[in-house]
Amino acid sequence: MTPAPLGSLHGNRMTALRWQGFLEELGYPVAVTESWSRGDTGLLIALHAYRSHHSIVEFKKKYPDRPVVLILTGTDLYRDIANHNEVTQSMEMADQLVVLQSAAVDSIPARLRYKAQVIYQSVEIDIDIDNRDSTTKDDFVVSIIGHLREEKDPFCVVRSLLLLPADSKITVTHLGQAMNSQMKDLADNFNATIDRYQWLGEVSHADALRVLSQSSLMVISSRMEGGAHVVSEAIALGIPVIASDIPGNRGLLGEDYPAYYPVGDEAALATLLYRAENTPTFYASLQKHIEFRRELITPAREKRSIQELVSALI
């Protein structure tokens, strides 16, 4: 169950569909809905503690002895838990809590952490990709992939472009739907006035993977993130990442990853971009760290974790 609507490319919907595929492979009948349908459900798996709270309450009223798995999102842990009691109440009612990266456990109330399990989001690349050695190319393409909304700080990379030295060959390809008219107007304006920047809007998932695979680098600039699937996709493709210094990114890339910058700091981001473009040893160190993380995001590992979780509850 996910509040992200049918047809959406939001991360919660993608997580729900991926879990559905694994569970069906394991022999379980699964329906993905936006809220509990009040049907005869043996196990409820809910994404988003706050927005799924009512469904969890109603399910537990009808089936108090049937298990609930709650997959916690970034907005649950890094925004809503401080403002909405429903988040903690949903955690209390759930039989198992799932987080998508290791640093998220620290944001769960200490008394509830015994319920928590980390299941990394897996990636299986099933398209032809043109992964390249970016340090040998004349251009240096940086991709940023995600819907344009405030918590993503989508234009930090644009601000950083204006600070790059004149000899930099960095260009930015930006993918993602503008979530309001103000974001669209800003993206259109930057698209028209900054030669280094191109906003392509929302594209298919396959096209987004192709753009990512042909990039020299990806930037994840979020102010708040539970564990962005696009970071896992970059890891699977072997694309180095420059990331805002937030728990959601650290939990996926590792505490010792060498390319974090302070949230919203375009000058620090520009410095890292230019260093990655012009210092082969630094770029190679990013590639090495990314390669080391690949083991965590294999489909076999995620499927096995889900199987163990469900088998223990049913």
Side-chain angles (χ1 to χ4, degrees):
M1 180 184 72
T2 173
L6 181 67
S8 164
L9 294 179
H10 287 278
N12 288 346
R13 170 64 62 166
M14 296 297 101
T15 298
L17 294 176
R18 197 173 59 258
W19 276 55
Q20 179 186 31
F22 285 134
L23 288 166
E24 288 176 345
E25 289 175 10
L26 293 167
Y28 298 102
V30 182
V32 177
T33 60
E34 292 178 45
S35 59
W36 179 48
S37 64
R38 305 188 68 82
D40 187 5
T41 304
L43 167 67
L44 182 68
I45 302 175
L47 282 106
H48 212 295
Y50 177 56
R51 294 175 66 189
S52 296
H53 176 71
H54 178 72
S55 290
I56 294 171
V57 170
E58 292 302 305
F59 179 81
K60 278 298 190 181
K61 280 182 181 176
K62 186 167 184 178
Y63 300 118
D65 297 325
R66 296 187 184 182
V68 170
V69 174
L70 176 59
I71 304 175
L72 295 164
T73 68
T75 49
D76 285 329
L77 295 173
Y78 305 125
R79 185 186 67 193
D80 291 343
I81 193 170
N83 303 309
H84 300 285
N85 292 332
E86 292 91 338
V87 174
T88 304
Q89 291 168 4
S90 293
M91 291 185 192
E92 291 169 343
M93 286 184 288
D95 298 272
Q96 183 73 47
L97 305 176
V98 171
V99 292
L100 305 179
Q101 43 83 11
S102 57
V105 175
D106 295 336
S107 296
I108 297 172
R111 61 188 174 81
L112 298 174
R113 288 177 194 166
Y114 74 95
K115 298 183 181 184
Q117 177 179 350
V118 180
I119 300 181
Y120 288 94
Q121 300 182 89
S122 67
V123 176
E124 189 166 26
I125 304 299
D126 57 1
I127 62 169
D128 287 334
I129 60 173
D130 178 24
N131 204 350
R132 62 187 188 171
D133 181 358
S134 306
T135 59
T136 66
K137 300 294 182 178
D138 291 334
D139 59 346
F140 196 90
V141 179
V142 174
S143 59
I144 180 166
I145 302 172
H147 294 313
L148 280 59
R149 56 181 188 266
E150 185 64 27
E151 56 263 37
K152 299 286 187 180
D153 196 10
F155 302 122
C156 187
V157 71
V158 181
R159 303 192 302 271
S160 74
L161 286 178
L162 304 177
L163 302 176
L164 289 172
D167 65 343
S168 173
K169 296 178 181 178
I170 288 174
T171 61
V172 168
T173 301
H174 198 164
L175 308 180
Q177 178 186 2
M179 302 306 290
N180 56 53
S181 59
Q182 181 184 17
M183 288 290 181
K184 183 179 186 304
D185 290 344
L186 285 169
D188 283 337
N189 179 63
F190 293 139
N191 211 32
T193 60
I194 300 177
D195 290 339
R196 294 177 183 268
Y197 176 79
Q198 183 181 32
W199 175 54
L200 299 180
E202 185 174 31
V203 302
S204 71
H205 185 237
D207 285 343
L209 285 179
R210 288 189 184 94
V211 169
L212 178 59
S213 73
Q214 295 167 19
S215 301
S216 308
L217 194 75
M218 189 191 80
V219 169
I220 177 81
S221 56
S222 301
R223 294 185 173 98
M224 176 182 64
E225 193 74 67
H229 194 237
V230 72
V231 174
S232 296
E233 289 171 337
I235 293 170
L237 289 165
I239 303 299
V241 178
I242 293 178
S244 54
D245 192 359
I246 59 173
N249 290 334
R250 283 188 172 273
L252 288 175
L253 293 166
E255 289 295 329
D256 60 346
Y257 190 71
Y260 296 116
Y261 71 95
V263 173
D265 189 339
E266 62 268 19
L269 175 55
T271 298
L272 284 170
L273 287 170
Y274 192 70
R275 185 182 177 195
E277 179 191 12
N278 291 282
T279 309
T281 53
F282 178 62
Y283 188 86
S285 74
L286 301 185
Q287 290 179 310
K288 183 177 180 180
H289 277 82
I290 290 294
E291 178 65 30
F292 182 75
R293 303 298 286 184
R294 275 185 174 174
E295 177 189 351
L296 296 177
I297 50 95
T298 62
R301 180 185 177 121
E302 185 177 24
K303 181 179 179 180
R304 184 172 62 251
S305 297
I306 292 171
Q307 181 178 24
E308 291 171 355
L309 169 69
V310 174
S311 297
L313 292 172
I314 296 180

